[in-house]
Amino acid sequence: MHVKFIISALSVLLSGTTALSESNLTTHVDVLTLDHAFNPVKAAYWTGYPHHRRTPFAVSPNGKSAYIAYLDSTETDVHVQQLDPTTFKATGTSVTITGGQEAGGLVAHNDGFAVLVNEAMPSGTTNAPPDNTPVAVIYRYTNGNETWKTWLGGPNVHAADGLSASPDMNGDLVYSLKSETYGAYFVVTDYSGDASGHYGDSIQYVNTSGDVVDIDGASSSWGCSHNTGIAFKETVKAPFASICAEDQGAIWLNTKTQGMTNDGVKISNENTTNGASGEPMGGMSGSYSALDRFYNSTRFIFAWVSRGAIDVTENTWMGDGYTNVKNRTNGRNVAIALFSDKYTLVGDQATSTVGEEDGDSQVNWITDGSNDCSNAHVAVFDGESALVTWEEISDPTCDFIAMGCRGEFAGSFFQEVNSKGVKVGEAVKSTDVYVAGDMVTMGDGRICWPYVSMEWDLSQAVGYGSSTDTYKKMSIACMAV
Ligand SMILES: *[C@@H]1O[C@H](CO)[C@@H](O)[C@H](O)[C@H]1NC(C)=O
Ligand SMILES: *[C@@H]1O[C@H](CO)[C@@H](O)[C@H](O)[C@H]1NC(C)=O
Ligand SMILES: *[C@@H]1O[C@H](CO)[C@@H](O)[C@H](O)[C@H]1NC(C)=O
Ligand SMILES: *[C@@H]1O[C@H](CO)[C@@H](O)[C@H](O)[C@H]1NC(C)=O
Ligand SMILES: *[C@@H]1O[C@H](CO)[C@@H](O)[C@H](O)[C@H]1NC(C)=O
Ligand SMILES: *[C@@H]1O[C@H](CO)[C@@H](O)[C@H](O)[C@H]1NC(C)=O
């Protein structure tokens, strides 16, 4: 106890900042009134365990407008509500993206917004996906009116490589002010060509006129197989910084490759089973605020959850240089990695040496308990420090290998880390604040995010007695240093 106190006091002195405390977490409960009802719970792939349904949140470059996107409780139509970035109260009337089936990313502009959703193509579209399977699409609204709508899959996008649909909208939309380019990284399934019937991912760039632009060494029609986790952050120029979790055993920094080949940077070895790798970036509805860049710096921070890795064996399917691992633990812990620029990991890559016992010796762990950690996210405060957050289940039951767990919700945690990846103080705990949408760094240095004020039950699959309530209020929480 004594030693621990001295060490944390010392780390405070060394970092020059005081640690976060509960007083730094402020909440604005039910502050935002929605025009339409919203169901905040989404069943996860394979397990059906509850995930927060993502509500993308974004603030404009001039800091004067903010938007939140949410799926109507009928599960069709995505609504985009403008809010005041100071009071967080709704302003204006909401815009409805008719037919949208999930909100997958939101960019706020000074004059409006762009939102990534998936929706079925109009009936009669030649070479549309079968069975009205939805396709990723970006909508741009300027001063309240639709200015363009751009499909990122379907018949006219990378037709020579095979055509893509997006039954689930897992991914993210970002925008580079410097190069005036949108980037979207999202999960696809192909319905023609070599990858027909298979799941993978796609990276598409769109210019401010709403045209898909094919950028050599950046655009990708097919990258990581059965990707269940995406992290994406805009940079000055394409390729934007990107990370994928694939179904063969690794998490890759794939800014250079856009794929899962081992000329990318192997961040982590993960046990993979049935196309999953432990929902490292949140699984269904999770691929946001996992990668951020420190201000005025080329340095990035990435957060994920992992069961660790032991027993490195050759991945005979992928061949020489690729590996499989077993998981070290039952529950998942939180890890972070730093990059000195969008191509370069700080420290060692995850091992690819067959026969090694430890497959995770490079990992910088943020937690080390036997609780199961999930829903990890990160955002920077400034050039020096970042906020890492996650949820815990105590005494978890993990019925399915490489998936999520169930059990008693033990709280959300908020840990400050510095730009060297060192923890500053202890994590702040909350049992009634969750992270359910993008963590945005506000002009005043606070980090704010949306959530729904509700009981959070992680003990059983959705539909087995868990809440199916819908809500017409959104809450915002902020952390300040
Ligand atoms: C954050 O908490 C520290 C104490 O740990 C306090 O000194 C500081 O004023 C708080 N900052 C804000 C913005 O509440
Ligand atoms: C938006 O559309 C409405 C009618 O649909 C029109 O009256 C208005 O001028 C448009 N606004 C802009 C900024 O184009
Ligand atoms: C966007 O790309 C299209 C097609 O290449 C081009 O015609 C258009 O001028 C571009 N718009 C901008 C703003 O660069
Ligand atoms: C994943 O770990 C399980 C043990 O939890 C093991 O049986 C399985 O073979 C591992 N998967 C791979 C691809 O090695
Ligand atoms: C980033 O650099 C600009 C210009 O030098 C400065 O005004 C700004 O305060 C810096 N921001 C941070 C968070 O350090
Ligand atoms: C590996 O993870 C699974 C759940 O994914 C769990 O059942 C198993 O006990 C774990 N193995 C070890 C060694 O903890």
Side-chain angles (χ1 to χ4, degrees):
M1 192 65 191
H2 200 80
V3 170
K4 207 169 173 184
F5 172 75
I6 291 170
I7 289 172
S8 62
L10 200 65
S11 72
V12 165
L13 280 177
L14 289 175
S15 64
T17 54
T18 51
L20 292 177
S21 74
E22 267 160 54
S23 69
N24 297 94
L25 180 64
T26 55
T27 56
H28 305 262
V29 176
D30 292 343
V31 65
L32 175 61
T33 303
L34 305 176
D35 290 342
H36 306 272
F38 168 69
N39 177 351
V41 183
K42 184 172 169 88
Y45 165 71
W46 200 276
T47 63
Y49 294 158
H51 283 186
H52 297 285
R53 188 186 292 277
R54 175 184 180 185
T55 49
F57 174 53
V59 177
S60 62
N62 66 7
K64 289 188 178 151
S65 41
Y67 297 87
I68 207 164
Y70 62 100
L71 179 64
D72 194 278
S73 61
T74 61
E75 305 215 338
T76 311
D77 295 350
V78 167
H79 308 290
V80 181
Q81 177 66 57
Q82 188 170 355
L83 57 147
D84 183 305
T86 309
T87 63
F88 301 120
K89 289 188 185 301
T91 60
T93 48
S94 64
V95 164
T96 297
I97 309 293
T98 305
Q101 297 185 21
E102 197 70 70
L106 180 65
V107 168
H109 294 290
N110 293 341
D111 64 1
F113 64 85
V115 63
L116 172 66
V117 305
N118 60 339
E119 73 178 49
M121 302 196 84
S123 64
T125 302
T126 307
N127 293 326
D131 309 321
N132 289 319
T133 307
V135 171
V137 57
I138 303 176
Y139 282 82
R140 172 75 161 105
Y141 271 74
T142 312
N143 301 318
N145 292 359
E146 181 184 320
T147 31
W148 45 260
K149 171 182 181 181
T150 301
W151 296 99
L152 304 182
N156 300 314
V157 181
H158 55 71
D161 298 340
L163 305 178
S164 303
S166 292
D168 295 307
M169 189 67 263
N170 197 356
D172 210 0
L173 175 70
V174 298
Y175 179 71
S176 168
L177 263 177
K178 290 268 168 58
S179 53
E180 298 189 319
T181 305
Y182 298 89
Y185 192 179
F186 52 100
V187 173
V188 298
T189 181
D190 275 11
Y191 62 96
S192 78
D194 289 349
S196 193
H198 295 278
Y199 275 82
D201 64 30
S202 174
I203 303 176
Q204 296 301 323
Y205 290 91
V206 171
N207 72 14
T208 52
S209 324
D211 291 289
V212 173
V213 282
D214 191 4
I215 304 176
D216 199 33
S219 301
S220 165
S221 53
W222 187 267
C224 298
S225 170
H226 223 132
N227 185 339
T228 54
I230 285 168
F232 200 41
K233 179 73 185 171
E234 74 278 7
T235 54
V236 171
K237 279 191 182 142
F240 295 167
S242 61
I243 297 175
C244 83
E246 34 84 326
D247 62 356
Q248 291 299 317
I251 295 176
W252 300 98
L253 175 66
N254 65 353
T255 310
K256 188 180 119 197
T257 66
Q258 293 91 50
M260 54 190 280
T261 50
N262 63 5
D263 49 342
V265 177
K266 200 203 251 187
I267 299 169
S268 179
N269 285 310
E270 300 292 334
N271 174 258
T272 53
T273 303
N274 292 320
S277 57
E279 303 178 341
M281 287 91 121
M284 292 280 269
S285 225
S287 295
Y288 63 91
S289 299
L291 176 66
D292 204 0
R293 185 176 58 249
F294 289 100
Y295 276 32
N296 291 346
S297 160
T298 59
R299 206 170 171 89
F300 292 80
I301 180 167
F302 167 57
W304 79 103
V305 293
S306 174
R307 290 187 162 89
I310 52 171
D311 196 4
V312 182
T313 52
E314 187 186 343
N315 181 327
T316 48
W317 167 258
M318 292 293 289
D320 201 23
Y322 295 88
T323 56
N324 284 140
V325 293
K326 292 202 171 76
N327 53 299
R328 181 184 291 283
T329 56
N330 176 41
R332 296 162 292 175
N333 275 292
V334 180
I336 57 169
L338 296 169
F339 312 113
S340 56
D341 61 42
K342 65 182 176 178
Y343 301 110
T344 315
L345 179 69
V346 175
D348 293 335
Q349 289 195 42
T351 183
S352 294
T353 307
V354 171
E356 237 164 73
E357 229 162 87
D358 292 339
D360 55 6
S361 53
Q362 88 293 352
V363 176
N364 182 359
W365 297 104
I366 293 294
T367 66
D368 62 2
S370 57
N371 281 2
D372 178 63
C373 301
S374 60
N375 199 33
H377 296 286
V378 64
V380 304
F381 283 111
D382 49 32
E384 300 300 326
S385 75
L387 180 65
V388 178
T389 174
W390 66 93
E391 291 176 5
E392 293 190 11
I393 291 173
S394 48
D395 194 17
T397 302
C398 308
D399 304 292
F400 306 97
I401 293 174
M403 308 282 171
C405 305
R406 62 186 165 88
E408 193 188 333
F409 173 61
S412 301
F413 292 82
F414 301 92
Q415 172 71 59
E416 186 184 353
V417 298
N418 68 18
S419 60
K420 306 270 189 294
V422 178
K423 290 200 259 183
V424 180
E426 312 245 306
V428 169
K429 175 180 162 175
S430 169
T431 51
D432 58 8
V433 173
Y434 326 106
V435 176
D438 301 62
M439 298 175 77
V440 175
T441 309
M442 312 297 280
D444 59 7
R446 286 177 305 165
I447 295 171
C448 301
W449 63 89
Y451 69 103
V452 171
S453 177
M454 61 187 284
E455 285 285 309
W456 189 225
D457 180 4
L458 288 174
S459 66
Q460 54 197 334
V462 177
Y464 291 87
S466 59
S467 169
T468 51
D469 292 350
T470 63
Y471 294 79
K472 290 189 82 176
K473 299 271 189 195
M474 201 75 76
S475 302
I476 303 278
C478 298
M479 185 68 91
V481 277

